[in-house]
Amino acid sequence: MPFSKDVADSVLVKCGRHCCICRRFKPTMLQVHHILEESRGGSSDEENAIPLCVTCHIDVHTKTPFAQRFSPDELREHRDRVYRLVEEGKLVAEERDVEFRPIVTRTTSVPDFVSLSSLAQEILVAAASEESYVLLSVCDGGGLIQAGSMSRELGHGRQLAEAKSAINELETLRCLEVAGPSREVWDVTLRGYQVADALAAMSVGDVR
């Protein structure tokens, strides 16, 4: 079950709206994560909660072969250190870019997906959720865009231009890569799956 509002408010105050892994000040992009997952018997009380930014939350859940995953004890230590730094006044928003650096090595990076248009987000989430492709078929009368179970006919003109623009956004952020010479079909990249996961997490209201 999700954390109660009282628990979420308490941990967000204690961390000063900083991510407990990378220590960046992320006031509107934090999620409260279960340190010990509920499926493994973890509770939804404050001792089992850690505030994480969207990017670090994805990393915590990512299973990379031969890479050391975050353990519950490590996550608690990261959290408690950030709490102490905030309480002592050593970790504040104004100093985040000068005094502190990420405390873990990042093997992946997620682009600034917040800038994506609503159509680009819809296309990416639909394709990634079903591990499918993106198809844009153009004809004289308009076109058709498909992404997973999403299928939409496009009128010639504005609708078709918006679809092309959305795909261009996703290509620019390396969320999609063209499959074949015809530029009609695109595959979702690893980065695309990461961004889609973050967007899906935001849509269910986990971001505070």
Side-chain angles (χ1 to χ4, degrees):
M1 60 180 294
F3 292 100
S4 68
K5 182 179 184 300
D6 288 343
V7 168
D9 287 347
S10 178
V11 299
L12 290 171
V13 168
K14 288 180 178 179
C15 73
R17 289 274 178 170
H18 292 81
C19 173
C20 289
I21 297 296
C22 67
R23 302 188 186 184
R24 291 177 298 171
F25 180 61
K26 304 291 287 186
T28 61
M29 295 295 292
L30 287 180
Q31 300 172 329
V32 182
H33 169 72
H34 287 82
I35 293 175
L36 182 64
E37 297 173 358
E38 291 182 286
S39 60
R40 298 169 57 194
S43 67
S44 293
D45 57 27
E46 187 170 335
E47 178 55 30
N48 196 42
I50 180 172
L52 301 173
C53 70
V54 173
T55 304
C56 287
H57 201 174
I58 292 172
D59 284 351
V60 167
H61 283 289
T62 298
K63 298 180 180 179
T64 304
F66 310 112
Q68 187 70 39
R69 297 193 67 194
F70 291 94
S71 70
D73 286 343
E74 181 189 356
L75 289 173
R76 290 189 186 95
E77 182 65 22
H78 285 311
R79 177 199 63 190
D80 293 346
R81 288 186 181 183
V82 167
Y83 286 179
R84 287 196 298 271
L85 289 169
V86 171
E87 185 176 7
E88 294 167 0
K90 296 178 180 179
L91 183 59
V92 294
E94 290 76 15
E95 298 174 355
R96 66 189 184 276
D97 292 329
V98 177
E99 295 293 335
F100 297 95
R101 297 293 183 267
I103 56 179
V104 292
T105 300
R106 310 303 291 271
T107 57
T108 60
S109 60
V110 178
D112 185 10
F113 56 84
V114 177
S115 66
L116 288 173
S117 66
S118 57
L119 179 57
Q121 293 184 27
E122 182 183 0
I123 291 169
L124 181 61
V125 171
S129 63
E130 300 186 28
E131 298 190 11
S132 184
Y133 53 84
V134 176
L135 168 69
L136 178 62
S137 178
V138 180
C139 60
D140 292 340
L144 173 71
I145 189 166
Q146 292 181 322
S149 59
M150 170 192 171
S151 181
R152 187 173 303 170
E153 293 185 359
L154 306 169
H156 185 72
R158 180 171 181 172
Q159 288 184 335
L160 185 58
E162 287 177 344
K164 290 180 177 179
S165 177
I167 290 178
N168 184 61
E169 289 180 64
L170 294 169
E171 278 194 291
T172 300
L173 292 180
R174 293 183 290 166
C175 293
L176 294 180
E177 60 183 8
V178 67
S182 63
R183 293 193 59 80
E184 291 184 346
V185 179
W186 290 262
D187 291 324
V188 180
T189 64
L190 174 59
R191 181 171 293 189
Y193 282 111
Q194 292 174 329
V195 173
D197 288 344
L199 290 169
M202 292 174 64
S203 70
V204 298
D206 197 19
V207 175
R208 292 183 54 81

